[in-house]
Amino acid sequence: MAGLGRKTFTAGEVLTAANVQGYLMDQAVMVFADSSARSSAIGTPTQGMVSYLEDTSTLQVYGTAWADVSSPGDITAVTAGYGLSGGGVSGDVTLTAGTTLTSSTATAYTVLTADAGTYLRFTDAATVTISTATDFGIGQQVQIFADGTALSITTDGATIAGAGTAFTSGTFTVGNQYEAVSVFCVDTDTYRVIGNVTAA
């Protein structure tokens, strides 16, 4: 018979075979080695029966056929995207919003795809290149600090625009020491230079 739901037994009440079957057996989670063992043990399953198969670690319920318990969740990983760190593939995971500051004494630097969402601080006179290989996604940006005596921003083929000028071969000069400028991706290989810059 199908499971009978819930019953509150009273003291001294006779526990019949039908009660054991309907309130206990048909409503328990039954454990089997595999589906063949289950079929051998349960000749005619009834709606609402629940079983666990050890070989596949699967919890199943019987309706008109045995089926996996619905909505077990399908998230297999949490990956930190732009501007985030952390994530994981199991258990409790944490995402942290934050930025990374990288200081450099380089006099020539090509912005990397991994620099998106970070701060780059140049302590010497430097030329920073926005490359066709930089591959920022639309909306991604990098902040650049001109802490050296001079800073230029150039391109090797990507379109950069700012201060009323756009080009694929040219240079912007940052106005003063200790200025900060932002390079913002608006389209594939297309960037805006935001801040106190002039076309050289």
Side-chain angles (χ1 to χ4, degrees):
M1 69 176 68
L4 298 178
R6 185 176 186 278
K7 176 179 175 65
T8 301
F9 291 91
T10 59
E13 182 177 352
V14 174
L15 185 61
T16 65
N19 285 340
V20 172
Q21 188 67 46
Y23 291 110
L24 301 177
M25 296 299 295
D26 290 343
Q27 297 180 170
V29 177
M30 299 169 283
V31 180
F32 301 99
D34 53 34
S35 59
S36 295
R38 180 179 61 196
S39 296
S40 295
I42 307 173
T44 306
T46 56
Q47 285 189 340
M49 283 185 169
V50 179
S51 70
Y52 178 82
L53 302 180
E54 294 177 315
D55 64 332
T56 58
S57 300
T58 304
L59 186 67
Q60 295 189 321
V61 64
Y62 189 84
T64 56
W66 288 105
D68 292 350
V69 173
S70 62
S71 302
D74 59 1
I75 296 174
T76 57
V78 177
T79 303
Y82 168 59
L84 298 171
S85 61
V89 296
S90 64
D92 295 334
V93 298
T94 300
L95 291 173
T96 302
T99 55
T100 300
L101 173 64
T102 301
S103 293
S104 175
T105 59
T107 57
Y109 183 87
T110 299
V111 174
L112 307 173
T113 303
D115 289 328
T118 68
Y119 291 83
L120 301 176
R121 175 177 176 256
F122 294 92
T123 56
D124 286 340
T127 298
V128 176
T129 300
I130 307 302
S131 171
T132 53
T134 297
D135 287 338
F136 279 12
I138 295 172
Q140 292 185 321
Q141 60 183 308
V142 62
Q143 310 295 326
I144 302 173
F145 295 155
D147 282 9
T149 55
L151 183 71
S152 297
I153 298 174
T154 189
T155 174
D156 70 355
T159 299
I160 58 175
T165 304
F167 46 71
T168 58
S169 178
T171 301
F172 288 113
T173 300
V174 177
N176 295 295
Q177 187 177 21
Y178 307 124
E179 294 273 4
V181 297
S182 175
V183 177
F184 191 96
C185 179
V186 295
D187 207 340
T188 302
D189 289 333
T190 305
Y191 298 86
R192 297 289 181 269
V193 181
I194 304 167
N196 181 13
V197 295
T198 56

